[in-house]
Amino acid sequence: MSARNPGTELDLEWISKVRVNTNAVLKRAQHIQGQKIPKRQWQAAWLLKAVACIDLTTLAGDDTPSNVHRLCLKAIQPVRHDLLRAVDMHNKGLATAAVCVYPSRVADAVKSLKAANSRLPVASVATGFPAGQTPLETRLQEVRLAVADGAAEIDIVINRTLALTGEWEALYGEIRRFREACGDAHMKTILAIGELGTFTNVYKASLVAMMAGSDFIKTSTGKESVNATYPVAIVMVRAIRDYFLCTGHKVGFKPAGGIRTAQESLVWLALIKEELGHDWLSPVLFRLGASSLLADIERQIYHHVTGQYAAYHELPMA
């Protein structure tokens, strides 16, 4: 993982000057989506790159120790061994980037990974996920409890009310408190872009989150009506790039919510490569938050190897 972002002082002057050209953003997003995707072995290689960047996630009300255990095993061996052998990747240690669960399931995930001798990190959503509307002290305590149970990464949600009313100093202050509560755990800050109203708000919230010490900024909880979209991603990654040019600090990016197909994962990788460059094409700086994406990627790898599509019962589910 990257060194923890110490954050900078809140630069209200920079934030006040932000204006986003909506038409330019939409045009760029359309261009990204219209590009040709790689074929054959090149596609397989990019898909395996995507697998290594997935935060394999379960955030369901009926999560149990057993389905978290199954998720952990799938994260350790995300693609069937014989398929990896066919593309000479069976001995490369391919795994997903992390397992992401609710705070109450962190201990279960840590136990399962430890029993399997895996060093895969456990990520946990926190701070009143997904709405972020619980009292601040409750949200802080949730972070501390998840870290105490062994979470190495915390996905926090911002208080959207503060963003929508332009209370950037208050938002910065809250995120700094979360940063302190995370301790040595890495902090991914979820902007919940579907509830921020405008591209300009998304850019400003991205800046505030990075100034407050976020290691990653993340699009969505996956519970909003609008989740990860390419136009919003462009706004966020441009904020990451501008922040890097001004501070020299690299902040990661995580789209999440509604990313289900292998082809979509290829578009996301292309967007990151073109907008941020090769350094961001690694789980250190790029994650895909997903629960069903891995299944489709594995089906595509199966097709690449065999020339046929697998029946659903032929591939282990996540």
Side-chain angles (χ1 to χ4, degrees):
M1 299 295 288
S2 58
R4 191 198 316 164
N5 181 0
T8 64
E9 293 299 317
L10 181 65
D11 189 341
L12 285 171
E13 184 180 359
W14 183 1
I15 292 164
S16 70
K17 291 178 179 177
V18 169
R19 299 291 184 275
V20 175
N21 184 330
T22 298
N23 287 336
V25 168
L26 295 176
K27 187 175 181 180
R28 176 65 177 143
Q30 191 173 31
H31 172 75
I32 289 283
Q33 289 174 264
Q35 292 184 120
K36 292 182 179 178
I37 61 172
K39 300 294 183 183
R40 300 186 180 88
Q41 68 265 37
W42 296 280
Q43 182 178 112
W46 278 102
L47 289 176
L48 293 176
K49 167 71 79 173
V51 168
C53 294
I54 290 175
D55 280 356
L56 195 59
T57 302
T58 181
L59 297 171
D62 59 355
D63 283 341
T64 62
S66 60
N67 75 302
V68 168
H69 177 68
R70 187 178 69 213
L71 190 81
C72 290
L73 295 182
K74 186 63 177 174
I76 295 167
Q77 180 68 58
V79 178
R80 245 173 47 181
H81 187 77
D82 60 316
L83 301 178
L84 291 179
R85 181 177 289 277
V87 294
D88 196 28
M89 284 290 291
H90 58 289
N91 58 357
K92 301 295 193 295
L94 179 69
T96 65
V99 169
C100 185
V101 295
Y102 275 120
S104 58
R105 300 269 72 89
V106 167
D108 297 330
V110 169
K111 180 181 177 182
S112 292
L113 292 168
K114 187 176 181 180
N117 293 316
S118 171
R119 300 182 66 181
L120 206 65
V122 174
S124 178
V125 297
T127 67
F129 180 96
Q133 291 283 5
T134 49
L136 178 58
E137 285 305 319
T138 304
R139 287 179 278 151
L140 287 165
Q141 186 64 6
E142 193 175 31
V143 173
R144 297 184 192 109
L145 290 171
V147 171
D149 278 348
E153 303 176 3
I154 302 293
D155 290 26
I156 69 161
V157 291
I158 68 166
N159 184 332
R160 273 81 96 191
T161 302
L162 297 179
L164 289 167
T165 55
E167 296 177 71
W168 302 114
E169 288 179 276
L171 179 61
Y172 172 86
E174 282 200 0
I175 298 174
R176 288 296 294 170
R177 296 281 303 276
F178 297 145
R179 170 70 274 169
E180 291 164 11
C182 284
D184 291 331
H186 280 71
M187 184 173 79
K188 308 190 200 92
T189 300
I190 307 170
L191 304 185
I193 50 84
E195 296 175 351
L196 290 185
T198 67
F199 286 155
T200 297
N201 267 349
V202 169
Y203 191 104
K204 289 180 177 183
S206 298
L207 280 183
V208 172
M210 291 187 286
M211 290 173 181
S214 303
D215 295 292
F216 272 71
I217 52 176
K218 176 178 169 182
T219 60
S220 321
T221 66
K223 309 294 186 181
E224 297 91 52
S225 57
V226 177
N227 295 294
T229 66
Y230 303 120
V232 163
I234 287 166
V235 173
M236 291 176 68
V237 298
R238 294 279 172 93
I240 288 172
R241 189 167 70 189
D242 291 345
Y243 186 75
F244 170 66
L245 292 173
C246 286
T247 68
H249 190 85
K250 295 175 180 175
V251 175
F253 176 64
K254 178 178 174 179
I259 303 171
R260 297 185 177 92
T261 69
Q263 183 161 344
E264 285 176 284
S265 72
L266 296 174
V267 177
W268 282 108
L269 288 169
L271 186 155
I272 294 303
K273 187 173 188 294
E274 291 196 10
E275 290 289 331
L276 291 173
H278 184 76
D279 284 358
W280 268 264
L281 282 177
S282 110
V284 173
L285 288 168
F286 178 63
R287 301 288 180 86
L288 288 158
S291 53
S292 58
L293 170 64
L294 179 56
D296 192 56
I297 290 179
E298 191 173 19
R299 288 186 76 235
Q300 297 303 324
I301 298 296
Y302 184 99
H303 181 267
H304 170 71
V305 170
T306 67
Q308 301 174 335
Y309 282 108
Y312 281 101
H313 68 269
E314 293 182 283
L315 298 173
M317 61 182 175

